[in-house]
Structures are given as C-alpha cells and as structure tokens.
Amino acid sequence: MRFISPKTDFAFKKIFGSDQSKDILISFLNAMIYSGKSVIQDLEILDSYSDEYLVNFKDTYLDVKAVLEDETTVLIEVQIWNVKDFEKRVVYNLSQTYGNQLKSGKKYFDINPVIALTITDFKLFPSTEKVISCFYFQEEEDHLPYQENELKLVFVELPKFTKQLEELESVIDKWIFFIKEAPNLEIIPDQLKEIPQLEKALTIANQAGLSESELEKIWKQEMALWDWRGALNFAKREGREEGRQERRLEGREQGRLEGKYQIAKQMKAAGLPLSDIAQYTGLSIDEINQLS
C-alpha cells in the first residue's frame, strides 16, 4: 500500500472534508481540540471536497470548515511554510469569521464561538516543546479567562512530535502520527486500526482507491510544494551569502577606518596641523579632535 500525504490541501480535503468524512473529522477534532474527550458528537462540514476541486496552489488556504452541533465554527488548516505574516492571517481569519456572523437584523446573542485549528509543518513556538498549544483571551496577571470559549486558537506543531509507531499511546498521538507519517507507511498498522475512524482515514488515503485525475492533482500540489521549498531554500542561501558579503565589506570598511584613526593619532601626536591630517586621512576636523 501507498498512502497520500494529508499535508497537501487536496489530500486533506479528500480525507477530512468529504461527505463520508464526518466521523473521521469528529474523532480528529476531539483529539486535537478536546484532548481526546468525546465533546463533539455531531457536525456539518462546509465547503466539502469535490471532484471538481481545481488545484491552484497558494501559500495560505482554508482546508476544511465545520460547524459543530453547538453552532461553534471550526476552521481547520494545514500550513507547510512559515511565510511572512502567517500568524496575523490566522488571527484575521478567526476574527473575520467571528465578526461576519453579525448580519443585518441579528444581535450579539446570535454570534457563536469560533475555533481556528492550525497544523504547522514547522516549529512556530520555539520557547516550548509542547506539540499542541491553545490560546484564548485572559487577564494579563491573574490569567482570568475572558469569554474563554468565544475565540480560540489551537496550533499543532508536527516537527515537535517525535514518537515512533511503537510509542503511540493516546488517540492524540495516533492522529498526529497519521498526519505526519502517512506517506511513509506500507500497511495500516494495528495501532492505528484500534481507532475505526483512523483506519477509515487511511483507507481513503490509500492511493489504490484514488482515480487517475485525483492522483494527478495531488502530484501537482506536491510538485508545487517541492518547487516552493527549493525556491525558499535558494532565497535563504542567497540571503546568507549576501549577508556574508555585507559582513566582509563592513569588516574591511571598519578595518580601513581603524587604520585611518591610528594614522591620525600618530600625526596628531607628532604635532602636524589638523588640516593636513584631515587631508591625508579623509577624516573631518571634528573626528580628529575626538581622538585621544
């Protein structure tokens, strides 16, 4: 068996956003947002996967949107690269979704909570080794929650998850392992079969069950990801090289300046006129006067 990577937009929608994915998404969200507790019993998937989905790779996108039985909206996204202003965009999507509920004729009572669940393929918070981090409004000193359930940001940082298959314990471990390692599996492991929704997700992700057009769309997205990775790495290398060149130039310039100062000090100590020292070294009279 070969499995597609859930980290591409098309594959994530196929696995978590199709008409047959409700139970899969419920299990996944309960694991990521509610620590594996069965808080979510039902939901409606919005903007669900369709065969007519066109691949138009972009650096940011909303993968799946769902409304829970208590009317909470959940925005689910996988972000491959830590692009500029990514964190601002996550907050913007959250607040815009929250604010857009107040249509004409509605009251504040009609506004429901919004949760943004973001899965990153890079380390976002280097100060902590927590794989899952949750944020909401709270008082700065006493950490008193303010409308804790209204707006919430949940981040899952895949690189921080290092458990191997034999080390998986909780439903949380197993879902994160699936997201991160599905393309590297050759069979559906027994550890993942213990969760029926996970086994179903792997069955959907099995390349053997995909149409030729679906595989082509996934391939195009993966190629776009690799091309972008190459472009980013090239840009980083170029930036590092430019930085090294600038540092070398700055070092040489600093060395020349220090040499001028030393010569000026010697000339000044020898009693030469300041105008002659300035003409010889290129330093100003004020700079020469400041030399001890």
Side-chain angles (χ1 to χ4, degrees):
M1 289 184 183
R2 293 189 62 191
F3 302 94
I4 58 177
S5 172
K7 289 186 284 187
T8 63
D9 183 31
F10 183 87
F12 194 88
K13 279 186 169 75
K14 170 77 173 175
I15 297 166
F16 292 98
S18 64
D19 293 335
Q20 60 182 330
S21 302
K22 181 185 286 190
D23 58 334
I24 295 174
L25 188 57
I26 288 173
S27 176
F28 177 69
L29 294 181
N30 276 329
M32 297 300 101
I33 299 174
Y34 299 111
S35 302
K37 301 180 179 125
S38 298
V39 174
I40 304 170
Q41 297 294 323
D42 194 15
L43 55 75
E44 178 187 0
I45 299 174
L46 305 180
D47 302 323
S48 62
Y49 162 88
S50 167
D51 274 339
E52 299 301 317
Y53 174 79
L54 298 177
V55 175
N56 179 21
F57 181 78
K58 47 193 181 298
D59 61 337
T60 59
Y61 43 74
L62 181 64
D63 288 314
V64 174
K65 181 178 180 181
V67 177
L68 310 184
E69 58 187 339
D70 65 354
E71 300 301 323
T72 296
T73 296
V74 182
L75 312 175
I76 310 121
E77 177 186 343
V78 178
Q79 183 70 24
I80 302 297
W81 307 112
N82 191 4
V83 296
K84 183 181 178 182
D85 297 329
F86 155 68
E87 290 135 302
K88 288 187 177 182
R89 184 188 49 71
V90 173
V91 175
Y92 174 79
N93 284 344
L94 178 78
S95 56
Q96 185 184 48
T97 302
Y98 187 79
N100 282 348
Q101 297 179 71
L102 197 61
K103 306 296 183 183
S104 177
K106 287 196 171 185
K107 302 184 183 300
Y108 292 114
F109 175 80
D110 298 315
I111 299 179
N112 295 302
V114 179
I115 300 171
L117 170 62
T118 306
I119 302 145
T120 66
D121 205 23
F122 52 86
K123 289 186 178 182
L124 186 59
F125 308 113
S127 61
T128 177
E129 286 305 309
K130 289 180 62 178
V131 178
I132 300 178
S133 300
C134 180
F135 301 88
Y136 53 84
F137 289 118
Q138 61 179 6
E139 201 281 327
E140 187 172 0
E141 293 183 357
D142 297 333
H143 307 295
L144 176 68
Y146 178 83
Q147 297 294 317
E148 177 182 348
N149 295 323
E150 282 300 295
L151 290 169
K152 187 174 293 186
L153 292 163
V154 181
F155 294 92
V156 182
E157 299 171 80
L158 295 178
K160 292 180 179 178
F161 185 82
T162 57
K163 290 185 179 182
Q164 302 301 310
L165 184 62
E166 61 276 7
E167 300 174 300
L168 304 181
E169 297 175 351
S170 66
V171 63
I172 303 170
D173 290 346
K174 293 172 184 178
W175 271 117
I176 297 177
F177 183 86
F178 165 73
I179 297 291
K180 187 177 181 182
E181 301 292 344
N184 299 322
L185 299 176
E186 296 180 355
I187 61 170
I188 301 179
D190 291 337
Q191 295 94 321
L192 303 187
K193 285 183 179 179
E194 294 173 356
I195 302 172
Q197 296 84 2
L198 237 176
E199 183 178 12
K200 184 177 176 181
L202 279 162
T203 300
I204 295 174
N206 186 359
Q207 290 190 15
L210 301 177
S211 68
E212 186 175 337
S213 63
E214 287 177 324
L215 289 172
E216 183 179 359
K217 290 168 185 174
I218 292 169
W219 177 80
K220 284 181 179 179
Q221 278 205 336
E222 288 179 344
M223 289 303 99
L225 285 171
W226 282 109
D227 288 346
W228 196 19
R229 173 177 289 175
L232 285 176
N233 289 338
F234 178 77
K236 288 178 180 178
R237 287 196 300 270
E238 288 286 291
R240 286 195 295 268
E241 182 59 31
E242 288 179 5
R244 284 195 290 268
Q245 290 178 0
E246 288 176 2
R247 286 192 292 273
R248 285 196 292 268
L249 290 173
E250 289 172 359
R252 286 198 291 268
E253 182 61 29
Q254 184 65 28
R256 285 195 293 268
L257 191 59
E258 290 294 335
K260 289 180 181 181
Y261 288 155
Q262 290 300 323
I263 293 172
K265 286 179 183 179
Q266 293 171 3
M267 295 175 73
K268 188 178 180 183
L272 294 174
L274 296 182
S275 58
D276 290 347
I277 299 173
Q279 184 176 2
Y280 184 83
T281 62
L283 298 175
S284 67
I285 299 295
D286 288 339
E287 287 177 313
I288 297 169
N289 279 327
Q290 290 175 13
L291 296 175
S292 57

